[in-house]
Amino acid sequence: MLAEWGEDTKQELAVGVATAGDPSDPTSYSGVPASLLSALQELVGEAQPLAAELRVGGDVATALLAIRRFGDVLEPHAALRRHRADALASSRMASLRSMALRRAVRRRHPDAVIQIGCEYRTPDGVPYVTFEDSTVKQARRTYAWAHLEIGEGTAEDWIGLQRRCYERARACCAYNHWAARSIVEDYGQPFEKVKVVGVGRNNPTSPPAGRDWSRPRFLFVGYDWSRKNGDRVVAAFSRLRERIPAAELALVGGHPRIDVPGVTGHGRLSLDSAENRERIVNLFQQATCFVMPSLHEPTGIVHAEAGAAGIASIGTTCGGVSTVIGEGGRLVDPASDDSILEAMLELSDPHVAERLGAIALERSRLFTWEKVAERLLRALQLPGVDRRALADFL
């Protein structure tokens, strides 16, 4: 790809990745900023992490912003618990983050910025695109996120800031078509300004040399057990195993102790451990189907990893995972036990599982961080970059 659009461009172009945190931290934002930085390093001369965060005294500042009444001063820890979410989403915190980003931009002088999240503003005069998995408006109406348990005034301020970020951006980039629709319908942005760029994979999954499709082996990976709908998955599997006694289910993440025939729990396997990453990759290669019908899932990077391992996914209709899964799996109502069981029964058929797994593998080639980085560069419309050599939007 670099040979197609020139080493000179690569040497001269500096692109920053900004987040309300440390973009280089592989455990932050599901690993998205760190993975994107790594991919950009292969495409531009300099990929710069730009932290819109309070590096010194951040917790103290949050606590001070959380204090609303004189009585809170007497019980600061209680005040922090009660008001932390509201404080982190406040316009005052957004101003502090924006100030921190301005300092980072003055220090690094990027040619352009990829702004992940709209909890702060990129400085005037710097070309940028936004990059998000959902909007504040749609997130508030679709799921009871803890970080969105905020006052109406704070919510309106945040929505207003997000709208201004979209209006000033060269393009509004979304992980999925679900978020893209909200940017157009809820925030009034022109359809042609909104681009779906997808997500990449954080685990180097790939198909095994040979996979035994003869008996169903399901894999669930979800650290938020409740939101990922783990209890319903186990319940559906128990019913399925009454019909297919050889079926197996492997669980990874924040699951409780499970004592159910055919179910194996592997607990939390942190992505910052090479050994754990290898274990997760092996589990993907052993599985014949991935199942995670979350109560709500904005995008689901793990579905792209399942596809790259050559297996189909059972995902949710609540959120934006359809962009990743496409025809390589099934979408189900996460509140319907029967729908989950029906999909698991269908994917227990070796021929169906193998056929949809091949479709998922082919689709997964759209979802690499290199292609996401190319789409974001295309959206930035920077001079000197031959956009014809870059991946198309989804």
Side-chain angles (χ1 to χ4, degrees):
M1 178 59 66
L2 290 177
E4 294 180 36
W5 59 290
E7 289 294 328
D8 290 343
T9 301
K10 181 179 188 296
Q11 293 169 0
E12 295 177 0
L13 196 61
V15 176
V17 174
T19 65
D22 180 3
S24 60
D25 181 357
T27 65
S28 176
Y29 285 82
S30 300
V32 168
S35 296
L36 183 57
L37 279 167
S38 179
L40 282 169
Q41 287 170 359
E42 302 300 319
L43 295 172
V44 301
E46 187 179 3
Q48 303 172 339
L50 302 173
E53 67 171 345
L54 309 177
R55 291 186 178 276
V56 179
D59 289 339
V60 174
T62 302
L64 290 174
L65 287 174
I67 294 173
R68 307 294 179 82
R69 301 182 301 271
F70 177 75
D72 291 337
V73 178
L74 303 178
E75 297 180 338
H77 296 294
L80 183 59
R81 286 194 302 272
R82 287 195 303 270
H83 304 308
R84 178 177 173 81
D86 208 66
L88 288 173
S90 70
S91 58
R92 290 173 291 176
M93 185 61 80
S95 296
L96 292 172
R97 293 192 191 102
S98 301
M99 188 184 307
L101 182 59
R102 283 197 297 273
R103 289 197 296 266
V105 167
R106 283 198 298 267
R107 187 169 60 251
R108 303 298 294 270
H109 302 290
D111 295 299
V113 169
I114 298 166
Q115 177 176 324
I116 300 178
C118 287
E119 306 99 323
Y120 56 93
R121 288 184 58 173
T122 295
D124 292 339
V126 180
Y128 73 94
V129 296
T130 59
F131 182 39
E132 296 178 293
D133 63 355
S134 67
T135 70
V136 177
K137 274 194 172 185
Q138 72 181 160
R140 277 171 58 82
R141 67 173 175 250
T142 52
Y143 188 73
W145 296 98
H147 69 284
L148 291 177
E149 293 180 0
I150 55 182
E152 287 303 315
T154 300
E156 288 304 315
D157 286 346
W158 191 356
I159 290 167
L161 174 59
Q162 190 169 52
R163 180 177 288 106
R164 290 191 294 276
C165 288
Y166 291 156
E167 290 170 349
R168 296 173 56 246
R170 288 198 168 181
C172 306
C173 298
Y175 292 25
N176 54 67
H177 293 86
W178 174 72
R181 285 193 297 272
S182 177
I183 295 172
V184 174
E185 296 171 3
D186 293 326
Y187 291 79
Q189 295 306 298
F191 176 82
E192 60 274 13
K193 184 179 180 178
V194 181
K195 313 296 182 183
V196 179
V197 301
V199 291
R201 308 188 295 269
N202 294 332
N203 284 313
T205 49
S206 60
R211 175 178 269 120
D212 178 12
W213 298 97
S214 63
R215 60 187 176 87
R217 295 183 303 280
F218 293 92
L219 173 63
F220 170 97
V221 180
Y223 293 91
D224 185 346
W225 178 256
S226 296
R227 180 170 65 84
K228 305 292 184 175
N229 219 8
D231 286 336
R232 278 198 174 93
V233 170
V234 172
F237 174 79
S238 296
R239 293 169 62 191
L240 177 140
R241 205 165 191 268
E242 293 174 0
R243 307 188 196 187
I244 309 175
E248 296 179 0
L249 170 64
L251 304 175
V252 175
H255 60 80
R257 181 173 178 175
I258 304 291
D259 186 15
V260 174
V263 178
T264 302
H266 297 268
R268 294 180 179 272
L269 300 178
S270 175
L271 295 179
D272 57 1
S273 163
E275 180 182 354
N276 286 344
R277 282 177 180 269
E278 184 177 357
R279 288 180 63 188
I280 293 175
V281 169
N282 288 337
L283 288 169
F284 273 112
Q285 293 183 332
Q286 293 164 16
T288 59
C289 179
F290 180 77
V291 54
M292 193 185 74
S294 305
L295 296 177
H296 180 71
E297 194 68 51
T299 303
I301 290 173
V302 70
H303 292 301
E305 295 169 348
I311 57 175
S313 283
I314 297 172
T316 181
T317 55
C318 296
V321 303
S322 61
T323 294
V324 179
I325 295 176
E327 298 299 318
R330 296 289 182 259
L331 302 180
V332 300
D333 177 355
S336 170
D337 296 339
D338 289 342
S339 294
I340 297 171
L341 174 61
E342 182 180 343
M344 293 179 74
L345 283 169
E346 182 185 8
L347 269 296
S348 293
D349 183 317
H351 301 293
V352 174
E354 185 173 8
R355 177 174 61 83
L356 294 186
I359 295 173
L361 177 61
E362 179 64 27
R363 185 166 183 80
S364 73
R365 296 189 173 96
L366 296 172
F367 298 98
T368 67
W369 285 117
E370 290 74 19
K371 288 192 180 296
V372 173
E374 288 181 21
R375 294 175 188 126
L376 288 165
L377 284 177
R378 175 186 286 276
L380 278 166
Q381 304 177 52
L382 297 172
V385 175
D386 183 3
R387 293 193 292 277
R388 295 172 299 178
L390 302 174
D392 291 329
F393 302 120
L394 297 174

